[in-house]
Amino acid sequence: KAKCLEMAAQSKVSCILSLLLVSREFARLVSQNVLPLISALDMSLASNVVISDEPSVRRLLDLTPPRSSDSLLSLSLYANNQLARKLLQSPSHSIKRLHRLDLSFCSDIQAEDLDRLDHVSFLVLQGCKLVDDASFFTSKSKFLGNIRGLDLSWCNNIGDSALKVLAAKCRQLQTLELKYCDGVSDHGIALLGSSSATHTLLHLGIAFCPVSDNGLRLAAGRLRALRTLTLAGRAANGELWLTGNWTARGVDAVREERPELEVRF
């Protein structure tokens, strides 16, 4: 038991779930001695039968002692498409306690799957191929109500229409990552700059988006709370990937107007 608890305390989720399934006594030991130490659960790329068993994961979430209203669970289901859909579609009060949810590369996530996430503050939808303007970002999108951080990287069907909805519904938005969102243009930046994001948005990532120098000027001029602006990325060999429609002159103009704004590459 001591060895199992030691392994579980290292946040090895497979071990924790296995313990919960052994017996009521083990479940009690884990819930009292291990789960209070865990602030985040990572079930990324889970493939074995224990982790992929949805009732067991729900049991793990339900057993986790509540902390406080501003310190809830963080859960990563990176590429774990089957489990993600089961958890989002099944009734469980534990889902209501999630603070941050990573659904990256869960390829079958549907708009209706997110309807119960109106309490989630930080949502990662990176690489979710079905995420688009028309179905996910509408005036009825419930999951946007409490969003402070949103990562839509690699969502190629996201464009300015989504930013229009974000500008209207996300009044606490602090972080927005749009890397490789091919439909995001200068117009989308203007929409953000005409919303409450002017006073709340701290980080904006538009690497690999077709944003021009005018878009950079709009971001710097209108998003006055902005502290970091990511425009490009680096390849594995360290070389800079310069993408988008902006120029070095446009970047220099941003730095001159907003010297406190960190432009990242």
Side-chain angles (χ1 to χ4, degrees):
K1 291 181 182 179
K3 181 61 176 177
C4 288
L5 289 174
E6 179 184 349
M7 293 173 64
Q10 298 173 5
S11 298
K12 294 184 177 180
V13 175
S14 58
C15 178
I16 296 171
L17 287 173
S18 298
L19 286 174
L20 290 176
L21 294 174
V22 170
S23 67
R24 289 185 178 181
E25 180 184 1
F26 268 54
R28 179 181 60 79
L29 286 171
V30 172
S31 111
Q32 291 179 353
N33 300 288
V34 179
L35 294 181
L37 306 176
I38 299 175
S39 60
L41 303 176
D42 188 347
M43 300 175 196
S44 303
L45 295 172
S47 59
N48 68 66
V49 66
V50 176
I51 297 180
S52 297
D53 179 67
E54 177 259 345
S56 299
V57 177
R58 283 178 53 199
R59 185 179 181 189
L60 173 63
L61 293 175
D62 291 337
L63 278 172
T64 306
R67 294 164 178 80
S68 64
S69 60
D70 58 355
S71 180
L72 304 180
L73 287 176
S74 174
L75 178 63
S76 172
L77 294 173
Y78 186 102
N80 198 330
N81 189 68
Q82 183 179 10
L83 180 55
R85 292 211 68 188
K86 284 183 178 180
L87 283 177
L88 292 173
Q89 292 173 355
S90 63
S92 174
H93 73 274
S94 58
I95 299 299
K96 288 292 184 182
R97 291 167 46 213
L98 287 174
H99 173 63
R100 184 185 188 279
L101 181 60
D102 186 346
L103 297 173
S104 294
F105 298 99
C106 291
S107 57
D108 293 338
I109 293 297
Q110 307 282 339
E112 56 268 24
D113 294 334
L114 303 183
D115 282 348
R116 296 170 57 234
L117 299 180
D118 56 331
H119 54 288
V120 170
S121 298
F122 296 90
L123 182 62
V124 182
L125 296 173
Q126 183 179 136
C128 294
K129 64 182 182 181
L130 296 183
V131 173
D132 61 9
D133 290 358
S135 55
F136 280 79
F137 293 91
T138 71
S139 59
K140 297 181 180 180
S141 299
K142 298 178 181 178
F143 73 95
L144 295 174
N146 197 42
I147 288 292
R148 287 190 285 158
L150 184 61
D151 188 344
L152 296 171
S153 300
W154 301 91
C155 292
N156 304 116
N157 297 316
I158 289 296
D160 293 339
S161 296
L163 296 192
K164 181 178 181 179
V165 175
L166 288 176
K169 295 183 70 71
C170 299
R171 301 187 178 278
Q172 305 176 69
L173 191 62
Q174 297 176 353
T175 300
L176 181 60
E177 187 58 63
L178 300 169
K179 180 168 60 179
Y180 277 110
C181 291
D182 301 332
V184 172
S185 70
D186 294 352
H187 179 59
I189 304 301
L191 291 171
L192 285 177
S194 301
S195 70
S196 56
T198 299
H199 307 293
T200 64
L201 194 62
L202 302 175
H203 170 74
L204 177 62
I206 50 175
F208 310 99
C209 295
V211 174
S212 73
D213 288 348
N214 185 51
L216 300 190
R217 180 183 60 80
L218 289 168
R222 296 188 182 183
L223 299 172
R224 301 307 299 179
L226 202 63
R227 291 294 173 264
T228 58
L229 178 65
T230 302
L231 298 182
R234 292 187 180 277
N237 61 6
E239 292 185 0
L240 190 65
W241 291 351
L242 296 176
T243 59
N245 297 330
W246 48 268
T247 67
R249 180 176 296 179
V251 174
D252 289 341
V254 167
R255 286 171 166 161
E256 182 176 350
E257 179 179 352
R258 295 278 303 279
E260 81 285 2
L261 175 59
E262 180 184 358
V263 179
R264 293 179 176 175
F265 298 100

